[in-house]
Amino acid sequence: MNSSEIAKLARVSRTTVSRVLNGHSNVSDETRRRVEAVIAEQNYFPDAAARNLVGKTCKILGLFIIDLGAAGDEYTISRSQFFYDYIAYSADITSHYGYNLLTAVIRRDGMAEIDRLFQSRSIAGGILMGDHLDQRILARFAARGYKLVLYNQVRRSPSPHILTINYDNFKCGLLAGQELCRQGHVKIAHVTGEPDKLSVQDRLEGFETALTAAGIPFDRERDLEFGKFNRKSGGYDATRRLLARRADDLPTALCAGSATMLLGTFQAIRDAGLRIPEDISLVGIDDTDAAIYTTPPLSVVSTSCEEVAKQTVARLIELIEQDAPACRDHMISNVTLASRSSIRPCGSFGKEA
């Protein structure tokens, strides 16, 4: 959307739009109100930076971390190991390509900031990750031609100017479930993040598939608890609820759906007076440096934050510079299992071997 399009919708000249935007007095009140109404309706954000960038190539990428559930006084990035590491990797990688990185946490009332940055041409393209965005918002971004990379947001690209990058989250859940089954556990539980997250859905499906293939029952009402995916407290609170519900029939093994949740789950088990792995074996999905320093060291399905940063940044720059990517949907599949002493072998029926 530009000033010419605003002028057409308001049925005035482009000069009149410019006068309204610059606060000139030689515009009637009725005309001013009509132009301002169109500007508000179209969410148009004029910016001096747009004029300065005419004829120049913008070398700034926007990283938008969507956090729809946080309160205004809650931190987002520092509470999640993934975001913390991703920003560091992507800043290095972006610089390597000759670009700069602008990072913003977008809360429920902040979507207009993405529009403002694109429409002012302050950024050349953007990376969206974090909480699941409403499909209507994605459709609006697609209609406006924004060049975007979506990480773990949707399975298929909604537009030629939007790329998707997803981890093989099904494989992540599958490996975690298979390892617990291989070690002889049959009383297995799972704590994970918000059910509307794509990664949560796919990891849960992979986990259930592993148990089903091994002939081990998994009852979502009994064996599953949802929490906050990117909060240590989310893993802690979800685990406390699950253990309270299963107090008379504790699971012998538990899987935490993210690295941040894993640390909260670890602490919740300890605070309940239970031992790892003697009472409950523990595995997590996503790697975290802290996993090797706990006692015992924690088993994890290892994903690479560095690889996510490489893929998202490189493919966005390719989209910006070439405008015609050969492929719009990408899957990162290099997932491995690091089995450590937080998992103890069990005999049949979940009893210690």
Side-chain angles (χ1 to χ4, degrees), residues 64 66 68 105-115 140:
F64 303 108
I66 311 301
L68 303 180
V105 176
I106 304 296
R107 296 194 167 91
R108 193 171 300 277
D109 58 352
M111 294 300 165
E113 178 65 10
I114 299 176
D115 284 309
R140 188 182 83 201

Side-chain angles (χ1 to χ4, degrees), residues 194-214:
E194 299 89 335
D196 65 332
K197 286 184 181 291
L198 188 66
S199 54
V200 169
Q201 296 166 12
D202 290 350
R203 291 176 182 189
L204 179 56
E205 183 182 355
F207 187 77
E208 286 185 294
T209 297
L211 271 59
T212 299

Side-chain angles (χ1 to χ4, degrees), residues 136-205:
R136 292 171 295 181
I137 295 175
L138 291 180
R140 188 182 83 201
F141 291 165
R144 293 179 176 179
Y146 299 164
K147 293 183 177 181
L148 292 167
V149 167
L150 309 181
Y151 177 67
N152 278 348
Q153 284 286 322
V154 294
R155 292 183 176 87
R156 294 289 179 268
S157 167
S159 161
H161 293 111
I162 295 179
L163 308 182
T164 71
I165 295 179
N166 295 302
Y167 234 107
D168 192 342
N169 289 298
F170 179 90
K171 184 178 179 182
C172 291
L174 186 72
L175 290 179
Q178 287 176 336
E179 178 63 9
L180 296 180
C181 295
R182 188 182 71 81
Q183 296 284 0
H185 293 273
V186 297
K187 293 165 63 176
I188 300 172
H190 189 32
V191 293
T192 190
E194 299 89 335
D196 65 332
K197 286 184 181 291
L198 188 66
S199 54
V200 169
Q201 296 166 12
D202 290 350
R203 291 176 182 189
L204 179 56
E205 183 182 355

Side-chain angles (χ1 to χ4, degrees), residues 118-304:
F118 271 106
Q119 293 181 13
S120 68
R121 289 188 288 177
S122 297
I123 58 174
I127 299 166
L128 288 175
M129 59 175 56
D131 286 348
H132 185 69
L133 271 182
D134 189 297
Q135 295 301 300
R136 292 171 295 181
I137 295 175
L138 291 180
R140 188 182 83 201
F141 291 165
R144 293 179 176 179
Y146 299 164
K147 293 183 177 181
L148 292 167
V149 167
L150 309 181
Y151 177 67
N152 278 348
Q153 284 286 322
V154 294
R155 292 183 176 87
R156 294 289 179 268
S157 167
S159 161
H161 293 111
I162 295 179
L163 308 182
T164 71
I165 295 179
N166 295 302
Y167 234 107
D168 192 342
N169 289 298
F170 179 90
K171 184 178 179 182
C172 291
L174 186 72
L175 290 179
Q178 287 176 336
E179 178 63 9
L180 296 180
C181 295
R182 188 182 71 81
Q183 296 284 0
H185 293 273
V186 297
K187 293 165 63 176
I188 300 172
H190 189 32
V191 293
T192 190
E194 299 89 335
D196 65 332
K197 286 184 181 291
L198 188 66
S199 54
V200 169
Q201 296 166 12
D202 290 350
R203 291 176 182 189
L204 179 56
E205 183 182 355
F207 187 77
E208 286 185 294
T209 297
L211 271 59
T212 299
I216 296 172
F218 185 81
D219 181 349
R220 288 195 175 197
E221 292 295 322
R222 181 192 63 184
D223 302 324
L224 176 66
E225 191 68 39
F226 292 106
K228 296 287 187 181
F229 198 66
N230 294 317
R231 297 282 191 274
K232 182 177 178 181
S233 61
Y236 184 90
D237 294 341
T239 303
R240 291 286 295 222
R241 291 193 299 270
L242 187 142
L243 294 178
R245 187 171 70 246
R246 296 282 303 271
D248 296 329
D249 184 27
L250 289 174
T252 65
L254 200 154
C255 174
S258 76
T260 308
M261 294 190 79
L262 174 63
L263 300 178
T265 295
F266 174 84
Q267 190 61 49
I269 293 172
R270 289 291 188 84
D271 287 354
L274 300 169
R275 300 166 299 167
I276 302 170
E278 292 85 355
D279 299 314
I280 297 181
S281 290
L282 181 60
V283 64
I285 300 175
D286 289 336
D287 208 353
T288 171
D289 291 341
I292 62 174
Y293 298 113
T294 57
T295 304
L298 298 175
S299 300
V300 294
V301 174
S302 183
T303 58
S304 172

Side-chain angles (χ1 to χ4, degrees), residues 15-29 32 35-36 39 46 51:
T15 301
T16 299
V17 173
S18 178
R19 287 171 178 165
V20 171
L21 291 173
N22 289 290
H24 293 170
S25 59
N26 57 340
V27 180
S28 70
D29 290 342
R32 185 182 303 278
V35 172
E36 289 176 343
I39 289 172
R51 293 188 289 273

